[in-house]
Amino acid sequence: MKAISLLTFISPILAVAVKRESSDLIADSVNGTDLVGAIIRDDDIKVLCGAPSNFPDSDYPATDYSYPVGLLLGGGSRKLHVDAGPAKCKQAACNSGGGAGVFVCNDQHNGVDLLLTDIGWFAQRVYEKCKHRLADGTDHVQKGQAFNPDNWNVILTDVGSDCTAST
């Protein structure tokens, strides 16, 4: 009887875990509302290619973003602090020689500590939406920006010649 009770308890949890798509992100809060375990779906994320206008235009080979985005996605439980905004931006990851990289910007009026994996998840959304194929068959990624519902955003763009990210 204990096995049936345990199975009855676990099966709804297991069903949710199995249904969860790998492209979803588990949120801790949205707009200050505690939503521990809530799921943010790709459809809920606004991604703009060619934005923002105050960052340099860039169009890098897709492979140039492999290292910075992979570094973030492999960040485990490490966090990056971004001071209070609005529009307070910080390099999150980049190649050692500069070029293609990832910024994270905080539009909240208080500082935030963001998981590197969450930043990487949003960077992946930009990468996927802003990737295009050139006539020579190579994939490139145009600069772009993805917005988190909790008032921070991620930008894929040119970080210049100096990578200052601490990741």
Side-chain angles (χ1 to χ4, degrees), residues 31-83:
N31 295 326
T33 304
D34 188 21
L35 296 175
V36 174
I39 295 175
I40 299 175
R41 300 205 183 276
D42 277 349
D43 295 346
D44 298 331
I45 305 303
K46 180 179 178 181
V47 176
L48 301 175
C49 298
S53 59
N54 60 330
F55 278 74
D57 285 335
S58 62
D59 193 59
Y60 282 103
T63 55
D64 286 9
Y65 283 106
S66 298
Y67 178 76
V69 174
L71 188 66
L72 293 167
L73 290 172
S77 61
R78 293 186 312 157
K79 293 185 177 185
L80 180 68
H81 179 79
V82 185
D83 292 334

Side-chain angles (χ1 to χ4, degrees), residues 10 16 39 41 56 94 103 112 119 126-127 134 150:
I10 293 176
V16 169
I39 295 175
R41 300 205 183 276
C94 42
F103 283 90
V112 293
I119 298 168
V126 175
Y127 177 91
L134 299 181
D150 208 22

